[in-house]
Amino acid sequence: MSRTPAHSSRVVVIGAGIVGCSLADELTARGWTDVTVLEQGPLPAPGGSTSHAPGLVFQTGPSKTMTEFAAYTVQKFRSLDVDGLPCFHPVGGLEIATTEARWADLHRKAGLAASWGVRGELLTPQQCKQLWPMLDETTLHGGFHTPDDGLARAVLACRAQIARAERRGARFLERHTVTGIEREDGRVTGVTTDRGTFPADHVVSAAGFWGPVIGEMAGVDVPLLPLAHQYATTEPLPELDGVNDPRTEASKPILRFQDRDLYFREHTDRIGIGSYAHRPMPVDPFTVAAFDDAPVMPSSLPFTADDFAPSWQDSVGLLPALGSSRVAEGFNGVFSFTPDGMPVLGESRELRGFWLAEAVWVTHSAGVAKAVAEWMTDGRPAIDIHECDLYRFEDAQRSPAYVADRGAQNFIEVYDVIHPLQPMEQPRPLRTSPFYPRQQELGAYFLEGGGWERPHWYEANAPLAEGLQLPERDAWSARYWSPIAAAEARATREKVALYDMTPLRRLEVTGPGALAFLQRMTSNNLAKKPGAVTYTLLLDETGGIRSDLTVARLAPDRFQVGANSGSDLDWLLRHAPDEGVQVRDLTSGTCCIGVWGPLARALVQPLTRDDFSHQAFGYFRAKQTYIGHVPVTAMRLSYVGELGWELYTTADMGLRLWDTLWEAGREHGVIAAGRSAFNSLRLEKGYRSWGHDMTTEHNPYEAGVGFAVRPAKGDFLGRAALEGVTEETVSRRLTCLTLDDPAAIVLGKEPVHVDGAPAGYVTSAAYGYTLGRGIAYAWLPATAAAPGTAVHIEYFGEKIPATVAQEPLFDPQMERIRR
């Protein structure tokens, strides 16, 4: 992608909240000094979410990316001050548990902190009271203390960064309301305001909850829902009289009472209380009052006392001293939610040079700004941001109704204990494969991903699970799991099973330039005869793994690509030449069934006139044929480590394909199997899952997929960065672990301890039903990745012994797949 030289890049940032100010600072620090920040309100507190933010910064969460954003925000803001006032006050954070479920979750959160390198400690109720003397410790099971968390003074941090950016050449213009985005030939050219037009090579929308308004001007969809969140302040409390320095306001940790959707922070002699316990209060960003027309500020709506009343009673129950006080003032503050609760970052493909840095809270602001600045100046962020990418959302997830439903649900669940497999309740079902009616008839238990209903197991297979000896699961690992998954895995290994692979993304690349394009974009050699299927990687300029693909050459100038997400489609479309190559998404119009198991050939061969023997239809080959009356593209692939094929057809023929296979498979004991069994089987085989096991932060040799890199084929994106890199030279490795105790189970993201100290983290985990023990893949230092090395995985505070294993664990000679 061509980029404007740094010395001549004209950047306009829309919005001077904490994100816009941080971005101007990060860009100018990297030499992009022609930066103009436009703000509709007065500076330095223009009236958006930043202006009312309570400034809580908690670093720990299930997302490594978001934790790293927060960690950088802490690091940066700790280095800033204005007139001797620090922009960050490291009072720490304290999460307390009043239920057994929350106390267990805090143990899990302590594990996440250890995985991501955040200091934290579990405390007794008495230790919690020492940190917060007003607590009624008799209600507590314990707490989790993070000493490096604290309070960000967002407006002060804006002032500090404005001053630094201005010294480097940036300008900040207040009272400039954006009225239009100028464009020409698919590129942004400027920003129009009520006070003139500003030419630009890059425009960044950092407009906060006004993001959809700016997006509409640019013709770019911004899937964001503004919602109001209640914040109240007590009267002065005798218990805080003279305790806190008015300059820093607080001395006690930020207190989170998540069992009641509440948090607390000190304001010198008062306490501020934030509540997520009330009904969702969506706000239309197109109707928010201008600064001069708002009673207080645009983001501060009138306090609705009735909504807060239950939260006040819960607050008094936790902090009895509040019983003699009352709410002195409050407001309903507006901020942003997305369908998955993550920011929306990146450059629009439809309008080049138009960037989004939206749905970002103060907690992650500086980290996001750094990533976007790196993206703009270097072509990529230094850390993996696929969870935040603008193109991660499917078209079905971009409707205003979907954004409203999911945004409101994310507000409700912001402090809930969320299981990693837990699906949203609405709107469902949204996307279903053609096989959905049959799956319902078989009692499929559906979870959801990307809007798709995905069967995880089938109740029809319950009789197969009777008598299976499986380890007893704890309450957490037993959620969204059934012993039926073990029966389905066993049936796949012993007979044959049908897997619905429809939700996996399918792309088509065609045209006379298709081969040259894909050769340039991917790491493996695709210059093979039609009928060949190749596992390959999408790399970025630094050799990081953007995705892994299976590419089938169906004709000299036609390729079918099995991809991971909409971001893969976006990446290919951005790099595709203007002529000679067409890239299109086939997913919605097609479907796929994986037919896998030792009896797969016995099932399929009688249904086709083509020869499906190993000699005639080898592994990693593709063939266009018919299964009964159904035209299919058959690919000899297996992600469960068994003989079989992926069978693709058009959506209109999908149900006929299922019925044909089902009827023919009856004599072979065919079953339908779900994602739960699939995940277990793929880990037994050592197959990687992009986005979990490997990302742009990892190179192929670290991730154990160096076999998919063919430097000898010629130049390709990322090739130069990998020169001299081998599996022997890397300092870390994706490592296979088996749990020593056959009854032990972990789920993923747990810290891995080597010699008593955290040294890495689990990426994927499952119980290996064939092996009879738990499996985990983890990133570890290369020095600890030798088979036989003893490690410990921390699961809810318990150190579970595990051992580094030689992979693959199952069928290392590939005999079952290649028969």
Side-chain angles (χ1 to χ4, degrees):
M1 290 179 288
S2 61
R3 297 190 177 273
T4 308
H7 67 274
S8 60
S9 291
R10 299 167 299 176
V11 181
V12 173
V13 179
I14 301 172
I18 191 62
V19 178
C21 292
S22 296
L23 180 58
D25 182 53
E26 295 287 340
L27 285 171
T28 55
R30 288 165 173 77
W32 283 29
T33 55
D34 190 350
V35 176
T36 301
V37 182
L38 302 175
E39 175 52 59
Q40 63 184 343
L43 294 174
S49 301
T50 298
S51 301
H52 73 245
L56 282 66
V57 178
F58 278 89
Q59 299 173 79
T60 306
S63 167
K64 178 175 179 286
T65 298
M66 297 298 277
T67 297
E68 291 185 343
F69 284 160
Y72 182 77
T73 300
V74 169
Q75 173 192 330
K76 183 176 186 179
F77 288 0
R78 286 189 75 155
S79 71
L80 301 177
D81 68 84
V82 176
D83 300 330
L85 288 175
C87 293
F88 185 82
H89 190 26
V91 294
L94 176 62
E95 299 178 59
I96 51 98
T98 59
T99 64
E100 287 284 359
R102 182 69 60 179
W103 183 225
D105 188 58
L106 292 187
H107 282 77
R108 186 175 68 94
K109 189 161 285 185
L112 290 171
S115 290
W116 313 145
V118 178
R119 287 201 304 156
E121 181 184 10
L122 291 165
L123 303 181
T124 66
Q126 293 72 31
Q127 290 172 314
C128 293
K129 188 172 180 64
Q130 289 175 2
L131 291 175
W132 257 87
M134 294 169 64
L135 278 170
D136 177 5
E137 79 277 17
T138 64
T139 66
L140 305 184
H141 289 266
F144 177 54
H145 180 225
T146 46
D148 299 322
D149 291 338
L151 295 168
R153 292 185 164 184
V155 173
L156 212 60
C158 285
R159 289 178 57 190
Q161 293 178 104
I162 287 171
R164 294 205 313 193
E166 286 181 333
R167 286 195 295 269
R168 302 185 191 114
R171 57 178 176 167
F172 289 75
L173 303 178
E174 62 181 3
R175 301 287 189 175
H176 282 64
T177 300
V178 173
T179 58
I181 305 297
E182 302 289 318
R183 69 194 87 174
E184 185 177 334
D185 296 329
R187 280 205 65 89
V188 71
T189 58
V191 177
T192 302
T193 75
D194 58 351
R195 299 174 66 175
T197 298
F198 298 83
D201 303 300
H202 298 271
V203 173
V204 185
S205 177
F209 62 79
W210 285 285
V213 178
I214 301 300
E216 184 174 272
M217 295 179 191
V220 174
D221 181 49
V222 182
L224 174 162
L225 176 71
L227 287 152
H229 159 58
Q230 292 200 295
Y231 193 80
T233 308
T234 69
E235 294 178 323
L237 298 168
E239 291 81 0
L240 297 180
D241 187 24
V243 171
N244 296 316
D245 183 344
R247 288 168 55 85
T248 56
E249 293 189 338
S251 58
K252 298 177 185 61
I254 307 160
L255 179 64
R256 289 207 286 185
F257 182 20
Q258 293 170 304
D259 288 322
R260 291 294 183 271
D261 297 310
L262 294 167
Y263 63 83
F264 306 85
R265 59 152 293 184
E266 295 171 295
H267 292 278
T268 311
D269 59 351
R270 305 165 185 253
I271 290 180
I273 307 170
S275 173
Y276 294 98
H278 54 82
R279 61 190 168 89
M281 304 177 188
V283 175
D284 183 353
F286 291 87
T287 62
V288 174
F291 187 92
D292 293 329
D293 298 328
V296 180
M297 65 176 84
S299 65
S300 181
L301 304 181
F303 188 64
T304 50
D306 288 347
D307 289 306
F308 193 75
S311 292
W312 176 254
Q313 293 303 316
D314 288 332
S315 300
V316 172
L318 183 70
L319 307 172
L322 298 184
S324 58
S325 183
R326 66 179 182 86
V327 173
E329 55 185 356
F331 65 95
N332 292 357
V334 183
F335 64 147
S336 303
F337 283 80
T338 60
D340 59 5
M342 303 292 280
V344 179
L345 311 178
E347 182 188 20
S348 168
R349 187 179 67 253
E350 295 78 13
L351 182 59
R352 300 294 181 93
F354 183 81
W355 296 77
L356 295 179
E358 296 292 10
V360 182
W361 297 3
V362 171
T363 302
H364 310 105
S365 55
V368 164
K370 176 175 180 285
V372 173
E374 291 168 340
W375 208 342
M376 295 174 69
T377 59
D378 301 333
R380 69 183 291 276
I383 67 171
D384 169 60
I385 53 84
H386 80 273
E387 295 173 312
C388 310
D389 189 272
L390 166 62
Y391 289 93
R392 72 187 183 273
F393 293 115
E394 306 287 340
D395 288 345
Q397 296 173 302
R398 291 180 170 274
S399 71
Y402 186 94
V403 173
D405 286 347
R406 290 295 173 98
Q409 189 64 28
N410 270 300
F411 178 90
I412 292 169
E413 295 179 353
V414 71
Y415 274 176
D416 286 1
V417 177
I418 302 295
H419 192 279
L421 293 176
Q422 182 172 329
M424 286 280 189
E425 295 180 1
Q426 296 295 334
R428 291 183 64 193
L430 183 65
R431 306 178 78 188
T432 59
S433 81
F435 322 128
Y436 185 67
R438 300 295 182 262
Q439 293 166 343
Q440 288 180 301
E441 292 168 4
L442 294 170
Y445 185 89
F446 293 100
L447 297 180
E448 181 264 349
W452 288 99
E453 295 296 318
R454 299 185 175 197
H456 273 242
W457 65 83
Y458 294 83
E459 289 296 330
N461 297 324
L464 301 178
E466 294 176 3
L468 290 181
Q469 298 299 311
L470 298 171
E472 185 175 345
R473 293 199 169 213
D474 64 277
W476 188 250
S477 63
R479 293 183 67 184
Y480 306 107
W481 174 84
S482 168
I484 296 171
E488 293 176 358
R490 181 177 179 178
T492 307
R493 291 278 187 243
E494 295 180 354
K495 294 184 179 180
V496 61
L498 306 184
Y499 287 82
D500 182 1
M501 306 302 289
T502 302
L504 301 185
R505 185 170 293 271
R506 293 169 292 286
L507 310 177
E508 183 181 69
V509 181
T510 57
L515 175 61
F517 170 62
L518 288 173
Q519 285 283 75
R520 187 174 77 252
M521 294 302 299
T522 69
S523 63
N524 211 333
N525 187 11
L526 306 181
K528 301 172 182 177
K529 294 179 180 179
V533 182
T534 306
Y535 177 82
T536 188
L537 307 171
L538 286 181
L539 305 177
D540 64 19
E541 293 86 346
T542 68
I545 304 171
R546 281 195 58 95
S547 188
D548 63 342
L549 312 174
T550 53
V551 181
R553 191 175 193 183
L554 302 180
D557 58 357
R558 181 163 68 93
F559 296 81
Q560 182 170 311
V561 179
N564 284 297
S565 73
S567 297
D568 295 345
L569 173 63
D570 174 59
W571 183 253
L572 293 175
L573 287 171
R574 285 179 189 274
H575 288 83
D578 293 334
E579 297 181 357
V581 177
Q582 295 81 43
V583 182
R584 69 187 186 103
D585 192 336
L586 302 174
T587 311
S588 296
T590 56
C591 58
C592 177
I593 298 176
V595 185
W596 291 313
L599 301 182
R601 183 177 287 114
L603 191 162
V604 175
Q605 183 61 81
L607 301 175
T608 178
R609 293 184 179 182
D610 281 305
D611 187 351
F612 270 52
S613 69
H614 182 64
Q615 293 73 24
F617 196 158
Y619 192 53
F620 265 79
R621 299 292 299 172
K623 185 176 295 187
Q624 292 178 293
T625 182
Y626 289 88
I627 298 296
H629 296 91
V630 182
V632 301
T633 298
M635 296 187 196
R636 179 93 182 271
L637 305 175
S638 173
Y639 288 96
V640 299
E642 295 292 341
L643 171 69
W645 290 264
E646 292 180 356
L647 302 177
Y648 299 86
T649 191
T650 52
D652 61 316
M653 298 296 293
L655 201 57
R656 183 62 177 261
L657 176 62
W658 180 283
D659 289 345
T660 300
L661 293 168
W662 188 260
E663 192 59 37
R666 286 182 182 275
E667 64 179 288
H668 304 292
V670 71
I671 68 161
R675 298 291 298 182
S676 187
F678 177 91
N679 194 51
S680 170
L681 296 169
R682 71 127 181 134
L683 285 177
E684 290 182 337
K685 196 60 184 163
Y687 293 138
R688 277 57 171 152
S689 172
W690 185 85
H692 294 94
D693 301 319
M694 55 191 186
T695 68
T696 54
E697 296 181 7
H698 311 110
N699 73 50
Y701 300 102
E702 295 172 326
V705 290
F707 63 87
V709 180
R710 293 287 186 270
K713 77 167 184 174
D715 194 30
F716 56 86
L717 192 62
R719 180 180 184 271
L722 295 178
E723 288 185 6
V725 181
T726 66
E727 291 185 10
E728 289 70 36
T729 63
V730 299
S731 61
R732 60 180 177 175
R733 289 199 180 101
L734 183 62
T735 306
C736 179
L737 308 175
T738 56
L739 279 57
D740 295 354
D741 180 355
I745 295 169
V746 299
L747 296 184
K749 300 188 178 180
E750 297 90 357
V752 181
H753 296 255
V754 178
D755 296 329
Y761 60 92
V762 174
T763 58
S764 294
Y767 192 81
Y769 300 113
T770 313
L771 303 174
R773 67 181 59 247
I775 305 167
Y777 272 76
W779 281 102
L780 290 178
T783 53
T789 302
V791 301
H792 288 84
I793 302 174
E794 183 180 339
Y795 181 72
F796 286 92
E798 180 185 356
K799 303 293 196 304
I800 298 176
T803 302
V804 175
Q806 185 73 44
E807 60 172 333
L809 298 170
F810 178 79
D811 188 26
Q813 303 305 316
M814 303 282 284
E815 294 172 350
R816 298 174 71 92
I817 290 178
R818 297 181 185 275
R819 55 185 169 187

